[in-house]
Amino acid sequence: MTPRTIRIWSWLHRWTSLICTLFALMLCITGLPLIFKDELGPDLKLEATTTAPGTASIDDIIARAKAARPGQVVPYLFYDRDHPIVKVPTSPLMTTDPGDFHYQVFDTRTGRQIEVPQPNEGFLYIMLRLHLDLFAGIGGTLFLGFMGLLLCIAIVSGVVLYGPFTRRLDFGAIRRGKPQRTWLDLHNLLGIGTLAWFAVVSFTGVINTLAAPIELAWQANQLVEMAAQAKPAEDPTKRARIDDVLREVRIAVPGMNVMTVAFPGTPFATPSHVAIFLTGNTPITSRILKPALADATTGQIVSVRDMPWYATALFMSQPLHFGDYGGLPLKIIWALLDVVTIVVLISGLYLWWAKRRRRRSTGTTIAGLQAAAR
């Protein structure tokens, strides 16, 4: 590359890095405990039983959850991917913000209620909100997405500059002597060593920030199309048993697991339909949702279809981002790479600060010599 080209890429790398580094550092620090959210989460204390998951009546569970919170409604059901439990949120309205839900957890085998802390409280919840939206809602999410985009540009420009700046050095060489030179070599080595992982995590993080627009697009298009396939309800006030709805959807979509149920009136259903979201049983398909729509009056399945490609891209990016699809060994690898990335980010800030301080010192010295010459 020509000197001018190198200067352009250096300028791009410097400023994109400086703008996003503090936020990238915050995301790496908050993301570290989130990698182990299952291990750091509450102990469910499930009792030993030979009863199969799903044996307990969901209608009875919902009735008990409502009785414990008089005057409130149940907008959703959330099933756990790894444990035989269902989380039943209650709220004043079907459209209440999920951050204000109160959760009750039940064993789907026995129907027994399990006492656990609220998932929207505590250390992990604070880390999650900082990581997702800085407690600023959709605006914070999109802002972090922009920071992630700048980080991707910084990664690409760093790769472009790696060759010209290290061509006279053996790969992995760390020069001793001046601290700034040592940190520069360490920054380059760790940066290129974690390149693939850092690029994947950054890019999938940007995709994850588009979750809200993707959800809105699905609601405005496919949800409306699925609901249009249903006949008008004869008695809108009548409601089918949820146990019957779940039985029907398991017959219509065999070999898949129910993950979420959205009741009529919520943003993910319609006023006259129950929306059921299912996943597969393999490591890949367990991350991809398949929506089904059931008539809330009869419980009959109205429509089942695959999510659009952009929603599938979102679902696939989430396990790649958090590394939670390969068990504890993969989580440990993700955590180690995260720590190395934190070192890369801090060393980058140190190099910029040291260079800036040296320039100021040089400028002060030159000014003093000029004054003495007068």
Side-chain angles (χ1 to χ4, degrees), residues 325-346:
Y325 60 93
L328 186 59
L330 185 62
K331 291 182 180 183
I332 294 174
I333 294 173
W334 240 244
L336 292 174
L337 290 169
D338 193 329
V339 172
V340 172
T341 302
I342 290 174
V343 175
V344 172
L345 294 171
I346 293 176

Side-chain angles (χ1 to χ4, degrees), residues 59-74:
D59 287 285
D60 291 346
I61 287 175
I62 292 174
R64 290 163 57 194
K66 288 182 177 180
R69 307 283 294 182
Q72 297 200 350
V73 296
V74 173

Side-chain angles (χ1 to χ4, degrees), residues 133-171:
D133 61 8
L134 297 173
F135 286 93
I138 183 61
T141 299
L142 295 178
F143 173 77
L144 290 178
F146 178 64
M147 292 297 105
L149 187 60
L150 291 181
L151 182 59
C152 291
I153 297 173
I155 292 172
V156 171
S157 57
V159 173
V160 172
L161 293 170
Y162 179 79
F165 276 89
T166 61
R167 63 181 181 274
R168 293 189 180 90
L169 297 174
D170 294 332
F171 179 77

